[in-house]
Amino acid sequence: MNTLPLTFLAPLIGYLLLSFSRGKFSENTSAAIGVGSMGVSASATALAILGFDGGSHEMVLWTWMAVGDFRPAFGLHLDGLSLTMLGVITGVGFLIHLFASWYMRGEEGYSRFFSYMNLFVASMVLLVLGDNLVMLYLGWEGVGVCSYLLIGFYYRTVANGNAALKAFIVTRVGDVFMAIGMFILLQKLGTLDIQEMLRLAPQVFTSGDPAITWATLMLLGGAVGKSAQLPLQTWLADAMAGPTPVSALIHAATMVTAGVYLIARLNGLFVLAPDVMVLVGATGALTLLMAGLCAMVQTDIKRVLAYSTMSQIGYMFLALGAGAWQAAVFHLMTHAFFKALLFLGSGAVILGCHHEQDIFKMGGLRKTLKLEYACFLVGGAALSALPLITAGFYSKDEILWAHWALTDGPSPLFYAGLVGAFMTSLYTFRLIFTVFHGEEKTHAHAGHGVAYALPLIVLMVLSTGLGAMIHPPLAGVLPASPGAGGGEAKHTVEIISSVVGLAGIGAAVVLFLGRRSLVNTVAGSGIGRFVSAWWKAAFGFDALYNVLFVRPFLWMARPGRRDTLDRTIALLPATVRGLNMLAVLPQTGRLRWYVASMAIGASLVLAAVMLTLN
């Protein structure tokens, strides 16, 4: 525990050093600070894992503020859940930083990039280690600010700045809901200390109490914003405007999993709001289905992976809604492995193809980009939950089994998970076959170096069944999932999900490997073009929100552009400036003008006196 503060202090110091360097450090120095600070953070996490005894530990650094009886501490809470999250954030985060030191070479703002990345990780660590909701909210807002900076890293392009602003605003909507939920909990429980809240909640609230229902509903609003679930999912696909290592960090190990962590951490509150629990599961089911359909028609390699992230987070919400807390966190961990692998692999493909991201301008790359091809095969197999040999199989089956066990048989949400599994295999291998098979359309070159190869190889190993052998120490922290222990019925679920996943791969082989005559025929039809355009536009949510929110806001703000009150108030300083200009006009610096002015003034005074006397 003594080295635990290093998990956030090391990247925070790295951020400060790189920020105050004002870009004067060389690329080697910047990489050494950025990657090195993450190495220290990951090492401190490793020490915490080795010394973990299965209990919970508190470390209060100082009292943050004191307002009456409200005295939130700047304190750290380490248990099995926060340790699992810490391992994912710092471990996968270190590999992403190492890969980025190769990927970003030659880019403008190299040290600025690593300063943002370090601050992002420091904020995420504070989020998961905070022992109260105030500190958690500090990290929550910190990752939001850093996501804006990183998504808009290439700020000279207007579209990138708009994507960053969109991510910032949409997630802020969710953050407002979360703040309201915190206010309700503080008013009812008198504290925001997480462990104290979980202890007091069953004593203060009854199941279905309106207060706890509204509080958890508001917290769910914050979670869907950060984790890009319906209806606040629109920012995630556009976030691909940032550098690819940013996509790997945001969409694999950190920001989008924050909502899942929040609900899992506050499980004792959500259990008291059964209606909200149902809504959590339904939100995940709808999101994973919608995102799966969108992913099947995307042409940008990163946007396919972005929608797959949205879909996989939907599976985690599906698990949370069933009370399968441990299954949700287990899938969070395995997803971090194979999704980071796929994003970093896509970055290597993009660089190898001279910054080309359109998958239909690639093809046949398995011959030149062999390591990348292996990454996509392993990562794609894990994403598709290929039976027995991939990490994704074990975690996704836990989620499906939990829903089967919850209702003692198949339910609508279980079927949604199966349909999502089929679509996942279909769009994943559509991507692989399009990029790496068929006719070679782009002359690509492979990467080289330890910083390029090592992260990919490590993540490949973790994405196999070996990664599933890492069992998060969640017993005693999170309640057991429904149907814990399994049985014959669980094997039935595993067989069903395996057949569905393999059927998706088989369909991809038939549809996308070869001449694709059937796909081209359907896509060229009228209904095919309409559906493809609708799915590619993410079901038109952006257009809908533009009509419902953006345009009315701009219309209401229009009078403010020519605010009459502001113009009236501005007359006063304008008058003073005008009088000042008149006063300085005679100040020419010419002596003859001053003497003449004095003579004219004296004559006018004498004339006035004489007229007065008469």
Side-chain angles (χ1 to χ4, degrees):
M1 281 290 289
N2 292 333
T3 59
L4 191 61
L6 285 176
T7 54
F8 68 89
L9 284 176
L12 185 61
I13 292 171
Y15 157 73
L16 293 173
L17 290 174
L18 292 168
S19 295
F20 284 105
S21 72
R22 301 177 62 185
K24 294 181 180 179
F25 288 158
S26 67
E27 287 188 346
N28 289 337
T29 302
S30 298
I33 295 173
V35 180
S37 62
M38 276 304 305
V40 172
S41 180
S43 299
T45 300
L47 291 175
I49 293 173
L50 292 174
F52 186 64
D53 57 5
S56 62
H57 303 273
E58 305 283 344
M59 178 181 288
V60 178
L61 302 180
W62 64 80
T63 300
W64 193 354
M65 62 183 79
V67 182
D69 295 331
F70 182 58
R71 296 172 175 268
F74 198 96
L76 310 179
H77 177 83
L78 185 70
D79 59 13
L81 176 58
S82 55
L83 188 66
T84 301
M85 292 294 297
L86 200 59
V88 170
I89 294 165
T90 61
V92 177
F94 169 72
L95 295 174
I96 294 171
H97 274 70
L98 181 60
F99 183 87
S101 67
W102 167 79
Y103 184 89
M104 297 298 293
R105 288 281 173 176
E107 294 278 4
E108 180 184 359
Y110 190 84
S111 62
R112 176 167 58 90
F113 171 82
F114 278 104
S115 70
Y116 294 164
M117 292 277 278
N118 279 180
L119 182 60
F120 192 107
V121 172
S123 299
M124 191 67 194
V125 170
L126 287 176
L127 189 158
V128 301
L129 285 182
D131 68 350
N132 59 79
L133 286 184
V134 179
M135 189 170 168
L136 184 150
Y137 198 72
L138 172 67
W140 191 274
E141 292 300 303
V143 296
V145 171
C146 292
S147 69
Y148 167 78
L149 296 172
L150 287 166
I151 294 168
F153 179 76
Y154 299 121
Y155 60 89
R156 298 185 188 277
T157 304
V158 175
N160 295 346
N162 290 340
L165 193 62
K166 181 180 180 180
F168 188 78
I169 292 173
V170 173
T171 54
R172 291 293 77 68
V173 173
D175 296 350
V176 171
F177 288 129
M178 181 177 171
I180 295 172
M182 291 168 59
F183 295 151
I184 296 173
L185 292 172
L186 179 62
Q187 194 271 331
K188 293 294 183 179
L189 299 177
T191 181
L192 289 179
D193 182 275
I194 294 174
Q195 301 305 314
E196 187 68 9
M197 288 167 53
L198 295 177
R199 185 184 68 81
L200 292 175
Q203 304 173 20
V204 176
F205 302 113
T206 57
S207 180
D209 189 303
I212 191 63
T213 299
W214 277 106
T216 51
L217 187 63
M218 295 297 103
L219 294 175
L220 175 60
V224 299
K226 216 54 133 196
S227 293
Q229 299 292 285
L230 282 169
L232 299 178
Q233 83 289 355
T234 57
W235 66 270
L236 187 134
D238 290 342
M240 296 300 100
T244 304
V246 172
S247 304
L249 190 64
I250 290 177
H251 298 155
T254 53
M255 181 170 158
V256 293
T257 60
V260 178
Y261 170 77
L262 175 69
I263 297 176
R265 172 58 77 190
L266 301 178
N267 64 87
L269 303 181
F270 280 86
V271 167
L272 294 172
D275 291 341
V276 177
M277 289 281 287
V278 172
L279 184 59
V280 171
T283 299
L286 291 174
T287 304
L288 74 89
L289 293 175
M290 187 212 72
L293 293 174
C294 293
M296 286 198 290
V297 297
Q298 299 301 315
T299 58
D300 186 304
I301 187 172
K302 290 173 64 177
R303 289 179 78 90
V304 176
L305 297 178
Y307 280 110
S308 82
T309 295
M310 195 185 300
S311 179
Q312 295 306 304
I313 300 294
Y315 272 104
M316 297 174 205
F317 271 67
L318 196 65
L320 295 171
W325 317 102
Q326 296 189 26
V329 175
F330 185 34
H331 193 57
L332 183 155
M333 180 190 74
T334 60
H335 173 261
F337 298 154
F338 60 75
K339 189 51 63 66
L341 173 64
L342 289 170
F343 267 115
L344 296 187
S346 72
V349 170
I350 291 169
L351 277 192
C353 294
H354 317 287
H355 297 279
E356 180 58 65
Q357 294 185 205
D358 189 332
I359 61 175
F360 290 105
K361 294 181 181 179
M362 300 175 186
L365 297 182
R366 71 184 188 280
K367 301 172 185 176
T368 51
L369 303 182
K370 297 179 181 179
L371 179 58
E372 288 81 353
Y373 182 46
C375 290
F376 270 83
L377 284 179
V378 175
L383 178 58
S384 304
L386 205 64
L388 302 178
I389 60 174
T390 65
F393 166 75
Y394 296 94
S395 57
K396 189 176 289 186
D397 270 16
E398 287 291 332
I399 296 172
L400 295 175
W401 165 242
H403 271 280
W404 180 290
L406 184 67
T407 57
D408 196 23
S411 65
L413 296 184
F414 174 81
Y415 286 122
L418 285 183
V419 173
F422 177 83
M423 289 193 296
T424 300
S425 298
L426 186 60
Y427 69 68
T428 299
F429 279 85
R430 166 186 176 265
L431 172 65
I432 293 173
F433 294 152
T434 303
V435 172
F436 294 100
H437 290 263
E439 179 186 354
E440 186 174 353
K441 301 174 184 177
T442 302
H443 178 68
H445 58 85
H448 56 85
V450 174
Y452 149 78
L454 182 61
L456 297 177
I457 294 172
V458 172
L459 289 170
M460 265 200 294
V461 173
L462 292 174
S463 298
T464 66
L466 295 175
M469 295 175 65
I470 302 174
H471 296 288
L474 302 176
V477 182
L478 298 177
S481 301
E488 186 176 343
K490 185 176 182 181
H491 294 310
T492 302
V493 172
E494 290 175 347
I495 293 171
I496 293 172
S497 65
S498 299
V499 170
V500 169
L502 292 172
I505 297 175
V509 171
V510 173
L511 295 174
F512 303 112
L513 196 60
R515 295 185 177 182
R516 307 187 180 199
S517 55
L518 178 60
V519 172
N520 293 333
T521 301
V522 174
S525 65
I527 187 67
R529 289 195 299 271
F530 169 77
V531 171
S532 178
W534 191 35
W535 291 356
K536 193 170 183 179
F539 288 82
F541 272 91
D542 282 323
L544 177 64
Y545 289 170
N546 188 52
V547 172
L548 292 180
F549 303 112
V550 178
R551 288 183 180 178
F553 174 79
L554 294 177
W555 179 80
M556 289 187 293
R558 187 178 298 276
R561 298 178 181 178
R562 298 180 179 179
D563 194 316
T564 304
L565 183 60
D566 280 352
R567 289 191 168 201
T568 303
I569 295 173
L571 287 175
L572 180 60
T575 302
V576 173
R577 284 195 299 268
L579 294 174
N580 177 70
M581 290 177 64
L582 291 174
V584 300
L585 281 175
Q587 308 303 317
T588 63
R590 296 178 179 177
L591 185 59
R592 291 181 180 181
W593 171 256
Y594 293 157
V595 172
S597 299
M598 292 171 64
I600 293 171
S603 299
L604 291 174
V605 170
L606 289 173
V609 170
M610 291 174 65
L611 290 173
T612 302
L613 291 176
N614 291 337

